[in-house]
Structure formats: structure tokens, C-alpha cells
Amino acid sequence: MHFTGRTWRPPYEAHSVILQATSGCTYGKCRFCNLYQGERFRMSPMSEFQEDLAEIKRTQPYARRVFLTGANPFAMSYENLKLRALTVRDDLIKCQTIAMFASIRDIRKKEVWQLRKLRAMGINGLSIGTESGDDETLALAGKGYTAADILEQCRKLEEAGMEYYLVYMTGLAGKGGGYRNAVNSARLFSQLRPYFISVDSLTLFPGTQLHQMAQEGRFTPAGERERLEELQVFIQNLQIQVHLFANSLSNVCPITAYLPRERETALGELQYALDTFGEEELAAYRRDLKSLGCV
């Protein structure tokens, strides 16, 4: 298999077949991330893609879901995505879904009719690292788009019938900003129809711009208790039916919930953590995190 650079997939794609379509990131300006630092964006040549696909066909001929690697393979053109989707479907006759990471910027470049055709070819299940729906937090994080952009582009996916997943990140607004971030993000996400929302919590790793800003006193990280309270506010204000997964390694109090049915249970679990653990106990967990996991 032609895996190059950092190969990363979300926890919920653990049972998907991993196939490299791209490596690196087309953007590389998010201030909290150094995952693809120093790695130029590269599309895998079709010869490599087909060789890897042939190996998958030999070892997992009945694979039903393929996850394309890279920070944002959806940055590829419509024609390139079409070619790769049809190639996968030709080789893996049982494959039903081709999933991948995508950016709001990648969706912006595609028309609804193109999205609809890609969906018909099996491309479905876009993981979108929105991180926030609050303009001030998005600007601080260096995301390069606004809440209005998120709303516009995700509605295009909905019009095309394409399933997508959103990411929310507690702590990203910094100390004192969690309540604002939670309320505004929940308000935005409640206008959309994500299949689920995945919640992470900001972890500052050396080499990221936010880490450097924190070292220089230009960014004050939110405490762990504030992050738990932020997540409570986010859950309280979400007004859609959605699966919420806040169980990645970055969450000091992992929870999952189907909202709104399990809202009170989730809030109670977070409150139990707030009532039971002090700031230092919670902070020790994050200090010991060396990475957030990769494959």
C-alpha cells in the first residue's frame, strides 16, 4: 500500500477500508493543528491508487465502506473524484460508501448537481472539521471561513442528499469564550442536518500556532472545568435530533448521546464530573496526552 506521510482517520471509521487518495492538507493554516506540518498536499497518481485498490480487492473483496485518506481529499476536482469513485466501485462490487475528510472550502468549489452525481457514485459521509460555528472563534482558529459559509455549504450537501458529520471543539475560544462559542455554534448547527456531531477538546501541541501564542501570553487556554461547562451549554442549546459523540481521547469526560432524547443523561454525566473532580485532576489527563491517535 502506498501510504505516505501522516495517515489519519476518525474513530468512527475504524471498520472502514483505508485507501490513500491524497496526502497532506491543501490549507495548513489552522492554528491548533500541526498534523500535516511540513507535508505538501499530493494527489496519489492513479497508478498507485489502482495498485492499492487491487491489493484491497485481493484481501478484502467484500469491503462495504472505503475511507479515502488525506486531510481533505474532497479538494480534488469533480472529475478526479468521479474517476476514483467509479474505479472503486468497479473493483469492490460490494462497496456502498466512499467516505473522506472535507473542508468547507472544498464544498464551495462544487455545484449541487456535481455533489448529487458524486453521491450517486457512492461518495457519502463527509467528515467536516468545522470546529465551531462562532465567527470570533473561527477567526482565532484560522479556519478561513465564517459561520455563514458553513451554513451555505452544508445546505448544498443537504440539497444533494449527501451525508455529512460536523466537528465541535471545546476550549477553542480560549478562557472565558466557551459560553459564547457554545451558544453560537449550537444555534448554527441547529439550522443544519448533520448525521452526527463529533466533539473534541483543544489540546495544545508544540509546533502549533496556538501553542506558541499561549507561550507568548497571546492566548489563554480554557480550563478543563470550563470546557465541561461549555459542552453542557452546547448540548443544552442544540435543537435538532442528532447523535453526539464526545468520546475521543481529547475528552476528559467521554460521553455519547442521542439528542434530544438523552440530553438530561448527558448533562448529568458532565455535572457528575464537575462535582467530583477538581481542575488539577482534570488538567493532569490532558498534560499526559502525547497524541490524539492515528493509523
Side-chain angles (χ1 to χ4, degrees), residues 170-278:
T170 63
L172 188 58
K175 184 177 180 180
Y179 182 86
R180 183 200 70 244
N181 188 27
V183 170
N184 289 337
S185 297
R187 182 180 297 122
L188 174 69
F189 289 5
S190 294
Q191 298 177 65
L192 296 169
R193 297 196 301 272
Y195 189 72
F196 63 77
I197 298 172
S198 177
V199 178
D200 295 320
S201 190
L202 175 68
T203 304
L204 292 177
F205 291 114
T208 62
Q209 291 184 54
L210 272 187
H211 181 272
Q212 182 176 345
M213 290 169 64
Q215 296 293 102
E216 296 171 352
R218 295 185 292 128
F219 175 75
T220 304
E224 298 300 329
R225 290 177 59 83
E226 182 180 350
R227 297 174 192 221
L228 293 178
E229 291 168 351
E230 176 184 348
L231 183 52
Q232 283 184 317
V233 173
F234 181 66
I235 292 172
Q236 286 170 337
N237 284 272
L238 276 173
Q239 300 301 317
I240 50 173
Q241 289 187 340
V242 68
H243 292 275
L244 183 135
F245 299 103
N247 57 349
S248 68
L249 283 175
S250 68
N251 291 283
V252 298
C253 176
I255 63 166
T256 62
Y258 181 66
L259 303 177
R261 186 176 63 200
E262 298 172 340
R263 190 192 313 274
E264 295 308 316
T265 300
L267 293 174
E269 290 178 17
L270 292 169
Q271 190 60 47
Y272 175 81
L274 286 166
D275 293 342
T276 305
F277 302 105

